[in-house]
């Protein structure tokens, strides 16, 4: 759909004392020229300590990243130990123990047939790598016409050129129209709150979505389609949306029918965030051919993301060119792998994924009770410790606020001013910028802290409701 100026991202300022007035001496390019971000001096557990003396509960773990919380001394030590052994080698000639151990820890026993892991630095790099791997798979199978990538409107897969092109997030695309990967098209997201019709059952809704996907494959020409990519539980674009029953299984069946690779982007929803290591495990174990993970993998201690590859894709390369023709200087960086290994060992040892599932139920119940009387709360949705509150002007009609109101961002600011950090989702809803706030706290958060977070959120919403009316 057409990009309008109203889709421009709001500055997402947090109205706090700037680090410094902008001037010739300030050389770091921040996201916004208007509102410098908060200076964080220290972070520990679920708390951030700001330079102005304030303490903020990090109820979104950055962007669903810091899953074991901040300042973990065991992870610090693992990083120091690794730096003292090997800080860097190039993967063309070398491997390191933490990289080997990390892959083996995540894919021990090839869960669901996922056989190999490839580590890079960011989520966008992981998705780019996954797409290039998909392309090489078809190159080796001599299916050279397969270049087309089908994704979903309102999905988010990254900020590099190709990943941005296949993302539906209009706000992030504004200055970059025409600067894009051409072989892509989008279908509807599986988003029942917005798109399921009143006269439709969940089964009928799923069937309608699958029909649309099959029609799109047929329109493009199924022999030209390389991959369908989707987030099993949609993340930053539209805010922790779980799919309707049977949807992912139906998608898998359609991809199989036309020989199209299925890629799951679990960069935000994976690594335990929804209460199971892989988000797809709660959707009937629908297994992708290639998948990406990132945020929770390193828990924020070092930049790292992963591409996990099914045996059936690896086998084609294994019996073909015998190499993945792709690489980055900082691929499988030893310090990042050591950090991620330490984080994942803590997650396993302390049973943090089970804790995430249990605390998620508590968070849901507090949210539903605390926000039940807020007229602007249209939907509360999520799974595990991955929840979103969607704001609407009218609960009955689900009409959105005018984008210029920035209702969600203003609630975010008000909550931040009261000591709770939440994540604004910048996706679009029916062509308009959506109003969502995401809660994705560290898995170590306590009941009491969750209660404080939800109470502050309610007060922030009420404050904005009063200003609005
Ligand atoms: N894919 C998904 C589902 C994401 O949520 C994100 C980031 O939010 C990305 C890809 C891009 O990751 P990064 O910002 O690390 O490049």
């Amino acid at each position: 759909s057409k990009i309008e100026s109203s889709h421009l991202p709001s500055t997402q300022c947090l109205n706090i004392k700037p680090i410094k007035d902008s001037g010739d001496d300030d050389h770091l390019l921040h996201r916004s020229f208007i509102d410098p971000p908060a200076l964080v001096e220290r972070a520990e557990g679920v708390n951030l300590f700001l330079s102005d003396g304030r303490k903020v509960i990090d109820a979104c773990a950055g962007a669903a990243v810091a899953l074991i919380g901040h300042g973990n001394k065991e992870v610090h030590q693992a990083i120091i130990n690794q730096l003292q052994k090997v800080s860097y080698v190039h993967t063309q000639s070398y491997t390191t123990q933490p990289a080997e151990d990390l892959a083996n820890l995540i894919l021990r026993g090839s869960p669901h047939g996922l056989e190999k892991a490839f580590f890079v630095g960011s989520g966008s790099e992981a998705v780019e790598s996954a797409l290039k791997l998909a392309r090489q798979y078809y190159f080796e199978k001599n299916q050279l016409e397969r270049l087309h990538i089908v994704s979903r409107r309102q999905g988010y897969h990254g900020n590099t050129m190709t990943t941005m092109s296949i993302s539906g997030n209009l706000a992030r695309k504004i200055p970059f129209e025409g600067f894009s990967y051409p072989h892509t098209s989008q279908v509807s997201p599986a988003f029942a709150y917005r798109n399921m019709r009143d006269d439709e059952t969940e089964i009928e809704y799923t069937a309608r979505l699958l029909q649309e996907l099959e029609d799109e494959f047929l329109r493009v020409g199924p022999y030209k389609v390389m991959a369908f990519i989707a987030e099993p539980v949609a993340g930053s674009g539209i805010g922790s949306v779980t799919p309707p029953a049977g949807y992912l299984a139906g998608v898998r069946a359609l991809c199989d029918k036309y020989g199209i690779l299925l890629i799951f982007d679990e960069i935000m929803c994976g690594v335990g965030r929804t209460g199971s290591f892989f988000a797809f495990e709660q959707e009937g174990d629908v297994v992708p051919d290639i998948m990406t993970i990132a945020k929770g993998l390193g828990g924020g201690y070092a930049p790292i993301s992963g591409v996990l590859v099914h045996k059936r894709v690896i086998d084609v390369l294994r019996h073909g060119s015998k190499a993945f023709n792709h690489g980055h200087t900082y691929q499988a960086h030893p310090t990042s792998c050591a950090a991620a290994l330490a984080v994942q060992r803590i997650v396993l040892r302390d049973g943090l994924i089970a804790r995430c599932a249990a605390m998620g139920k508590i968070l849901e119940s507090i949210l539903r009770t605390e926000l039940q009387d807020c007229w602007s709360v249209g939907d509360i949705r999520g799974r595990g410790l991955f929840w979103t509150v969607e704001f609407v002007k009218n609960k009955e009609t689900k009409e959105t606020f005018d984008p210029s109101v920035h209702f969600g961002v203003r609630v975010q600011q008000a909550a931040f001013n009261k000591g709770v950090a939440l994540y604004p989702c910048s996706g679009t809803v029916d062509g308009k910028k959506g109003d969502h706030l995401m809660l994705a706290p560290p898995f170590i958060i306590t009941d009491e802290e969750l209660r404080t977070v939800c109470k502050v959120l309610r007060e922030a919403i009420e404050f904005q409701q009063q200003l609005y009316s």
Side-chain angles (χ1 to χ4, degrees):
S1 44
K2 194 167 159 351
I3 295 172
E4 294 159 16
S5 59
S6 61
H7 292 133
L8 270 167
S10 57
T11 58
Q12 297 173 2
C13 59
L14 292 169
N15 273 350
I16 63 150
K17 211 170 95 200
I19 302 169
K20 256 192 210 175
D21 283 345
S22 144
D24 291 345
D25 288 342
D26 299 331
H27 296 296
L28 182 62
L29 179 58
H30 298 132
R31 287 193 174 206
S32 161
F33 286 93
I34 309 165
D35 297 287
L39 181 64
V40 185
E41 277 180 348
R42 194 164 62 83
E44 207 175 308
V46 298
N47 296 312
L48 306 177
F49 298 89
L50 308 185
S51 57
D52 63 1
R54 286 197 286 162
K55 184 176 93 171
V56 173
I57 299 180
D58 187 6
C60 50
V65 172
L67 82 177
I68 64 164
H70 301 276
N72 188 295
K73 302 263 182 313
E74 284 179 71
V75 184
H76 295 174
Q77 197 54 53
I79 292 171
I80 292 167
N81 292 348
Q82 183 56 41
L83 282 171
Q84 286 173 341
K85 282 190 217 152
V86 186
S87 56
Y88 172 76
V89 284
H90 196 280
T91 50
Q92 196 155 34
S93 312
Y94 308 101
T95 186
T96 60
Q97 205 54 52
E100 299 292 331
D101 291 350
L102 181 63
N104 292 340
L105 185 87
I106 293 169
L107 296 181
R108 62 197 175 281
S110 294
H112 313 285
L114 295 166
E115 190 191 329
K116 297 281 187 194
F118 177 83
F119 299 117
V120 279
S122 68
S124 304
E125 265 178 288
V127 176
E128 288 274 350
S129 305
L131 296 172
K132 285 183 72 179
L133 180 61
R135 175 58 186 168
Q136 189 179 330
Y137 168 86
Y138 285 116
F139 178 83
E140 308 233 351
K141 284 168 73 92
N142 203 24
Q143 297 185 28
L144 301 183
E145 281 186 278
R146 289 195 190 264
L147 281 169
H148 195 93
I149 303 160
V150 180
S151 60
R152 302 187 301 181
R153 285 194 300 281
Q154 302 154 354
Y156 182 58
H157 302 293
N159 255 331
T160 56
M161 199 166 105
T162 313
T163 61
M164 181 184 68
S165 309
I166 61 168
S167 296
N169 196 316
L170 295 179
R172 297 187 191 233
K173 294 190 182 188
I174 293 166
F176 309 110
E177 270 191 295
F179 188 64
S180 56
Y181 181 75
H183 313 285
T184 182
S185 55
Q186 280 71 48
V187 293
S188 301
F191 188 13
Y193 172 69
R194 283 277 158 206
N195 298 342
M196 189 169 123
R197 294 198 287 251
D198 290 343
D199 62 348
E200 203 171 38
T201 63
E202 192 172 343
I203 294 172
E204 286 165 343
Y205 176 48
T206 299
R208 179 159 64 86
L209 289 169
L210 294 175
Q211 189 60 56
E212 183 189 339
L213 181 61
E214 183 161 20
D215 290 347
E216 184 57 15
F217 287 167
L218 293 170
R219 185 192 68 78
V220 175
Y223 58 95
K224 289 187 183 166
V225 181
M226 181 173 90
F228 175 64
I229 183 166
E231 301 160 80
V233 176
S236 56
I238 48 178
S240 50
V241 178
T242 54
Y247 172 76
L248 291 183
V251 165
R252 177 75 267 181
L254 281 177
C255 288
D256 289 344
K257 181 172 172 185
Y258 295 110
I260 292 165
L261 288 177
L262 177 59
I263 303 177
F264 282 164
D265 181 348
E266 293 209 4
I267 279 164
M268 200 173 219
C269 65
V271 195
R273 182 49 66 191
T274 65
S276 52
F277 188 85
F278 299 118
F280 70 71
E281 287 170 307
Q282 292 178 68
E283 291 299 325
D285 279 345
V286 174
V287 183
D289 300 296
I290 304 173
M291 67 178 294
T292 53
I293 53 174
K295 301 176 184 270
L297 180 60
Y301 287 85
I304 185 164
S305 60
V307 182
L308 310 181
V309 193
H310 198 278
K311 184 177 184 311
R312 57 182 161 259
V313 175
I314 289 295
D315 277 345
V316 170
L317 271 65
R318 181 179 277 136
H319 302 302
S321 67
K322 303 190 190 335
F324 178 27
N325 189 17
H326 175 69
H328 294 276
T329 304
Y330 290 131
Q331 177 183 326
H333 191 279
T335 316
S336 292
C337 289
L341 186 62
V343 168
Q344 296 310 316
R345 282 180 175 155
I346 290 167
V347 168
L348 272 177
R349 183 195 67 199
D350 297 350
L352 290 184
I353 295 182
R355 182 184 168 85
C356 168
M359 296 309 287
K361 294 216 159 59
I362 294 171
L363 174 58
E364 176 180 7
S365 132
I366 306 173
L367 271 177
R368 293 205 189 282
T369 313
E370 199 63 61
L371 305 187
Q372 64 185 343
D373 297 328
C374 297
W375 62 257
S376 64
V377 173
D379 194 26
I380 300 173
R381 55 176 177 261
R383 183 178 282 167
L385 279 174
F386 196 37
W387 283 84
T388 295
V389 176
E390 177 162 345
F391 302 106
V392 288
K393 197 169 146 190
N394 184 321
K395 234 172 175 154
E396 296 303 311
T397 62
K398 302 181 187 174
E399 184 187 348
T400 51
F401 287 101
D402 189 277
S404 62
V405 174
H406 296 306
F407 193 90
V409 173
R410 293 197 188 287
V411 173
Q412 181 207 9
Q413 287 172 347
F416 189 83
N417 291 338
K418 288 169 174 285
V420 169
L422 301 164
Y423 187 80
C425 305
S426 51
T428 38
V429 177
D430 305 332
K432 288 190 193 146
K433 192 163 178 298
D435 258 326
H436 323 103
L437 279 184
M438 187 185 278
L439 296 92
F443 299 174
I444 56 165
I445 198 162
T446 63
D447 283 35
E448 207 188 318
E449 286 160 341
L450 284 178
R451 275 177 218 292
T452 305
V453 166
C454 295
K455 182 170 163 287
V456 165
L457 175 58
R458 178 176 50 77
E459 289 167 2
I461 293 171
E462 283 173 349
F463 178 67
Q464 282 314 313
Q465 287 180 169
Q466 272 171 17
L467 286 185
Y468 185 79
S469 39

